[in-house]
Amino acid sequence: MKAAVRAWALAAVIGGAPSTAHALLTGRDPLAATRAAGAILGRPGVAAGVAAHVLISAWWTLVLAAAHRRRPLGAASGAVAGLLIAALDLGVLAPAEIRALPQWPQWLDHVVFGAVAGATLSGLGERPPNHTSGR
């Protein structure tokens, strides 16, 4: 459970980096995607957008953690999972406010989310335990 919470926290924060960077680099509003996410809860706005992002990220992290228990993910398969999540979230379920955003950064957010979640669930980057003999 601890790994899933860590994966959720890291993936939720880092996963938004591509669209935020794109917005900043192109002079767009970096909170536009957050506001648009609020439409998922019926209220476009920053507070609703943060709530929607937190809840949706938690849901998808739980799904990935369940998948990881059956077949370990890692960063690469997590990225593929993120692409599949994007196809559903952005291609099927997204409200008009999200569809109005530049799409490739949104898709990349999902891919990064999946890669970070998969890597974190797999414990990539964690230091191995120190196995010194007690002489």
Side-chain angles (χ1 to χ4, degrees):
M1 185 61 149
K2 215 167 154 180
V5 171
R6 185 180 312 120
W8 168 62
L10 289 173
V13 172
I14 297 170
S19 64
T20 302
H22 176 265
L24 291 170
L25 291 171
T26 60
R28 298 174 76 97
D29 178 2
L31 292 176
T34 303
R35 275 197 233 22
I40 295 167
L41 299 179
R43 311 180 96 175
V46 174
V50 169
H53 180 67
V54 165
L55 293 170
I56 292 166
S57 296
W59 166 254
W60 283 121
T61 302
L62 288 172
V63 169
L64 293 176
H68 177 71
R69 282 192 291 279
R70 296 180 142 230
R71 183 170 184 250
L73 289 174
S77 55
V80 171
L83 192 59
L84 296 172
I85 292 167
L88 180 62
D89 281 357
L90 300 171
V92 178
L93 302 175
E97 291 85 349
I98 292 174
R99 291 178 191 265
L101 298 168
Q103 287 298 289
W104 73 264
Q106 301 303 312
W107 281 73
L108 192 53
D109 282 354
H110 283 71
V111 171
V112 170
F113 172 88
V116 171
T120 305
L121 289 167
S122 295
L124 299 180
E126 288 185 9
R127 295 173 65 188
N130 187 0
H131 294 290
T132 56
S133 60
R135 294 180 205 192

